[in-house]
Amino acid sequence: MSRFYARRRTSILAALTGLIASVALFNSPSASAALPTPVSAATARSYLSQLTVATENRTGYSRDLFPHWITVSGACNTRETVLKRDGTNVVTDSSCAATSGSWYSPYDGATWTAAADLDIDHLVPLAEAWDSGASKWTTAQRQAFANDLTRPQLIAVTDDVNQAKGDQDPATWMPSRSAYRCTYVRAWVQVKYYYNLSVDSAEKSALTNYLAGC
């Protein structure tokens, strides 16, 4: 094969590759939450088996004991950072507030175009963390937990759904969208394991059952 035809074949292949990528882009969802990918179901099952089972205690809890939302970069705080991460075509103003964009809430499958319709959910709620070990942490440790962008702990979801969830664990609340439940419990266990938080018996039973189907 001559060098001319070799170069021509290479350019055609490159063009086809670009076309395929473009088609995939146009066929992808218009918006989807970008929660850090949780550990696998097998790893989650292993982590769960190592968590301490203990009765929860909410004595002394206050949301103010978990400082949030802190400044992450420039004018952007944690909430604004998650909104930008989880949205599509997000536009922000000089104070980092989202003025437009599209957000898909994986808990219920709803899509929103106004940031005001979204809450940033602490996947493992602050009160739940307090109940299961965070009461013994320093304020700095609780702040790190409340603003954790590295673990699968913060996600933009429909505000009403987040408020309905409140501080419930998987024994009493799960996303209505069943396709997301495996991701949810894998993330829950990963966060609890990383922060050495306990689980109560009903919570462990629910997590075990959900993970068995992942």
Side-chain angles (χ1 to χ4, degrees):
M1 181 185 294
S2 70
R3 292 181 181 177
F4 171 78
Y5 285 110
R7 287 197 301 270
R8 185 180 180 189
R9 182 179 180 185
T10 300
S11 64
I12 291 172
L13 287 172
L16 286 171
T17 300
L19 178 61
I20 291 169
S22 298
V23 170
L25 177 63
F26 284 115
N27 286 336
S28 63
S30 59
S32 59
L35 182 80
T37 302
V39 295
S40 69
T43 298
R45 285 190 286 269
S46 174
Y47 284 177
L48 180 59
S49 70
Q50 299 173 61
L51 296 182
T52 298
V53 178
T55 302
E56 296 182 349
N57 183 354
R58 191 157 300 185
T59 302
Y61 170 72
S62 170
R63 191 173 175 84
D64 293 338
L65 294 170
F66 292 79
H68 64 285
W69 305 110
I70 63 171
T71 300
V72 174
S73 177
C76 302
N77 65 24
T78 313
R79 170 183 164 82
E80 293 156 347
T81 300
V82 175
L83 283 172
K84 190 169 184 179
R85 181 199 72 186
D86 289 2
T88 297
N89 300 323
V90 177
V91 176
T92 57
D93 61 20
S94 59
S95 64
C96 202
T99 57
S100 64
S102 179
W103 291 269
Y104 175 77
S105 170
Y107 287 2
D108 57 335
T111 298
W112 303 96
T113 56
D117 290 321
L118 297 136
D119 280 352
I120 306 305
D121 180 40
H122 289 96
L123 194 136
V124 174
L126 303 182
E128 169 68 24
W130 178 272
D131 296 350
S132 52
S135 60
K136 300 180 179 66
W137 295 352
T138 64
T139 299
Q141 289 173 314
R142 288 192 287 267
Q143 175 176 294
F145 176 84
N147 298 276
D148 189 350
L149 294 166
T150 303
R151 261 62 55 182
Q153 164 67 347
L154 297 173
I155 186 170
V157 297
T158 302
D159 54 0
D160 291 346
V161 172
N162 183 53
Q163 290 155 29
K165 171 187 172 180
D167 55 17
Q168 298 180 80
D169 69 31
T172 55
W173 188 92
M174 285 290 286
S176 62
R177 185 168 161 264
S178 58
Y180 198 70
R181 290 176 180 174
C182 184
T183 300
Y184 187 84
V185 293
R186 285 158 46 212
W188 183 284
V189 172
Q190 180 180 346
V191 170
K192 283 234 161 172
Y193 180 84
Y194 179 83
Y195 285 99
N196 195 29
L197 296 170
S198 63
V199 291
D200 63 38
S201 57
E203 177 187 355
K204 182 171 183 178
S205 177
L207 290 166
T208 299
N209 290 338
Y210 283 114
L211 284 170
C214 290

